[in-house]
Amino acid sequence: MFRNTRIATMLLGIIAIFFTFQLLVGGMGFVALRQTNQDVAQLYRLSSQQVNAVNSAALSLVAARTDLGRYATPVAQGNASDATSLQHARQRIVSADRAFQGFSGGLSAEETAESASLIDAYGKFSANLQNVGRVLEAGDMEAYFKQGTQQ
C-alpha cells in the first residue's frame, strides 16, 4: 500500500509542478499580450495624429490656393483694393506650416528619411504658394500665370 501511495504522491507532485509551470507561462503570456495591446494603441494614436496633421496641412494649402485664386480675379481686373482673400491665404499657409510641423517635428532620423519626398513636396508647394501671394500683391499677373501652382 505504501508503494502505491509513493507513486501517487510522486505523480501528484509532477502534476503540481506542471500546473505551476502552466500558471507561470500563462501569466507571462497575459502580461506580454497586455503590453502588446498598449503598444498597438499607442501606435494607432501616433499614426492618427500624424495623418490628421498631414491632412490638415494639405487642406489648408488647398484652401490657401483657392483664396489666392479668388484674389487673382480682382488683381487681373485692376481692382485689388480688398486684400481679404490674400490675408486669408497667408493665414492658411501659416496654419498649414504649423500643422505640418506637428507631423515632421516628431519624426526620428529614419522616419524623416522615409518621409523625405513628402516633406520636400510640402515645402515646395508651401513656398510656391507664398511666392504666388507676393506676386499677386505686386499685381504681376504675368508672373502669376508662370507659377508652378498654375501649371
Side-chain angles (χ1 to χ4, degrees), residues 66-147:
T66 302
D67 287 339
L68 289 171
R70 286 183 184 141
Y71 183 68
T73 302
V75 169
Q77 295 171 350
N79 187 15
S81 60
D82 185 21
T84 306
S85 293
L86 181 62
Q87 293 305 320
H88 283 203
R90 287 184 173 153
Q91 290 170 355
R92 290 177 198 251
I93 292 170
V94 168
S95 173
D97 288 344
R98 201 175 314 117
F100 196 77
Q101 183 60 35
F103 161 73
S104 62
L107 297 178
S108 67
E110 180 182 332
E111 292 167 335
T112 302
E114 291 173 355
S115 304
S117 63
L118 175 65
I119 294 169
D120 184 51
Y122 173 82
K124 286 179 181 177
F125 192 47
S126 177
N128 203 350
L129 286 177
Q130 291 172 5
N131 191 37
V132 167
R134 286 189 290 274
V135 165
L136 285 175
E137 190 172 37
D140 188 2
M141 290 305 292
E142 184 72 27
Y144 171 73
F145 288 118
K146 291 182 181 178
Q147 291 297 318

